[in-house]
Amino acid sequence: MKVLWLCNVMMPMIAEQLNMEATNKEGWLSGLADVVLKKRYENGIDLAVAFPAPEMMFPEGHDVCMRTISVQGGKMTCYGFREDVTRPEIYDEALEGRLKKIIDSFQPDIVHCFGTEYPHTLAMCRVFPRKSRLLISIQGLCSVCANAYFANMPEKVIKSVTLRDYLKKDSIIEQQRKFEQRGKMEIEAVKLAKNVTGRTEWDKFYTREWNPEANYYNMNETLRRDFYGVAWDKKSCIPHSIFLSQGDYPIKGLHYMLKALPAIVARYPDTRVYVAGNSVVKYKTFKQKLKISAYGKYLRKLMRENDLNNRVIFLGRLDSARMKEQYLKSSLFVCCSSIENSPNSLGEAMLLGMPCVSADVGGIPSMFSDGEDGILYEGFRSPKNKYDNTCNAKTNSAEQLEIISKRLANAVISIWKDEERMESYCENARKHAERNHNRERNYAKMTEIYTKIIMQSDE
């Protein structure tokens, strides 16, 4: 069985063998590929991977390149193709020709697209002729994220534009519109595919709404290998330290945490918040001042007004080893996003068995049980349906921001003040994550799905 994976980035395992810089994104795919490749003689899968590649990989005049890397058990074919991933809201029809070359070269029996966030998924869905053998794995959903993008921020902030925003055509409002454009491509891709995998009731609701004829399969994700077999220990962590995996754009909800922090500090004066990922608040040099975004300015304003500059530490990009280290020395993981499907960062925290607090939004309740694995606090929900976490910034925005931030503060205080219950949360979360992210089980489920797709398409 020849299976072609279409990925949003070059997997770390491939980057390492090609002596190229590895991204921190989607490292979990390397973990899944590891299992597939180690058992290739058992499963009969000939795996190839396609991804947007850096310019240096292409011979002059080419827009597709092929590399073969050595893996456990043999070789794996890798295809790079040209794509401007910095502008994912724009559909480039040339992608169709590039992906067609890859299809013609590898002749896959199944094409498995990981994610719907980039135009290459729609291009693949258009050009792969056997729609019954086309499988899409849902990661996030851009069309729904667009609804939640403003995340209860004040309207004045939403409409503000810095020099950087103006020059890059990347204001908060323009960012939201880009998500809407990506969402339109995403919906078309789902409508073309005959098979979808997801892992939450949230993504199941929307994909069935868009394509009721598609076969929907439940399949959990395998996490990065560093997070298996390690356990969080309260004795080794920094007391009252909070870890956030990202905070560089509104959906990730760092502003909720900054609004909640004064109430938390009043109860626990030694509280510190550590934020991984790109820092959007740098403002020391003249160049940094020119490059700051409206969201970055808003975060700086919140920190200044509440005297939080020494309480919020931005860590920059962390690889999986450094991420694990930060989880283990933090006393609490918080997911304060305005929308998520099932964030791998929360899964990693649960798998390590650390205390967790999360907003009750999107698909999170499908992976994290309130009162058992930790505490869920209520995020904003529209009356449309229970899966639509639409944050309408023009409807009582300031009031909703205060309410949600207060709920977050109460959840953090509640989990810290009851140590006995917190220990129970940690144990339950770890067991839950071990089931959800079991490598062997998820591998078996994926190969089962592949077999079903082949059998059904041959009927």
Side-chain angles (χ1 to χ4, degrees), residues 29 164 203 316 395:
L29 272 174
R164 172 260 179 209
D203 68 41
T395 306

Side-chain angles (χ1 to χ4, degrees), residues 16-57:
E16 289 168 9
Q17 293 216 23
L18 297 180
N19 295 315
M20 293 186 175
E21 185 178 352
T23 177
N24 296 327
K25 297 180 179 179
E26 301 187 8
W28 60 271
L29 272 174
S30 289
L32 184 59
D34 269 346
V35 184
V36 174
L37 295 169
K38 285 175 183 176
K39 299 193 176 186
R40 63 192 313 160
Y41 298 111
E42 172 190 309
N43 56 44
I45 293 175
D46 181 5
L47 180 66
V49 180
F51 49 86
E55 191 66 29
M56 66 182 73
M57 281 190 66

Side-chain angles (χ1 to χ4, degrees), residues 94-154:
L95 278 170
E96 296 178 16
R98 295 165 195 163
L99 295 177
K100 181 69 164 55
K101 291 178 184 177
I102 295 172
I103 291 169
D104 290 344
S105 171
F106 187 64
Q107 294 287 312
D109 298 303
I110 291 175
V111 170
H112 188 169
C113 305
F114 288 89
T116 55
E117 302 96 324
Y118 288 87
H120 55 244
T121 295
L122 174 56
M124 180 63 82
C125 290
R126 285 179 173 178
V127 300
F128 187 57
R130 302 192 69 176
K131 309 304 183 195
S132 62
R133 294 196 176 184
L134 190 59
L135 174 65
I136 289 179
S137 284
I138 301 299
Q139 294 178 177
L141 292 175
C142 292
S143 52
V144 191
C145 288
N147 293 337
Y149 197 83
F150 297 143
N152 298 112
M153 292 185 298

Side-chain angles (χ1 to χ4, degrees), residues 246-379:
Q246 290 184 69
D248 56 348
Y249 63 111
I251 284 175
K252 297 304 175 182
L254 178 54
H255 55 287
Y256 292 117
M257 175 54 72
L258 297 182
K259 294 286 286 185
L261 203 46
I264 300 170
V265 169
R267 181 69 180 264
Y268 299 101
D270 58 341
T271 298
R272 295 288 185 275
V273 175
Y274 296 84
V275 186
N278 296 326
S279 172
V280 293
V281 300
K282 293 178 180 178
Y283 206 67
K284 290 184 178 180
T285 67
F286 179 68
K287 186 177 181 180
Q288 288 172 347
K289 291 176 181 179
L290 290 177
K291 292 176 69 175
I292 198 163
S293 66
Y295 186 59
K297 285 190 73 172
Y298 176 50
L299 296 178
R300 286 186 60 83
K301 177 176 178 288
L302 292 177
M303 289 191 290
R304 184 175 62 252
E305 288 178 346
N306 296 302
D307 193 25
L308 301 175
N309 286 323
N310 295 324
R311 295 188 179 277
V312 183
I313 299 94
F314 292 88
L315 303 169
R317 295 183 181 182
L318 305 179
D319 60 21
S320 60
R322 291 170 65 203
M323 279 287 287
K324 181 183 70 175
E325 180 184 347
Q326 190 60 47
Y327 281 114
L328 293 175
K329 68 182 182 182
S330 300
S331 64
L332 178 66
F333 177 79
V334 173
C335 176
C336 46
S337 301
S338 63
I339 196 72
E340 291 281 359
N341 187 11
S342 64
N344 283 346
S345 56
L346 178 58
E348 288 169 351
M350 293 171 65
L351 191 58
L352 293 173
M354 71 178 297
C356 299
V357 163
S358 176
D360 181 0
V361 296
I364 288 177
S366 292
M367 68 175 296
F368 185 79
S369 301
D370 182 37
E372 294 182 20
D373 301 329
I375 297 177
L376 286 176
Y377 65 91
E378 186 181 346

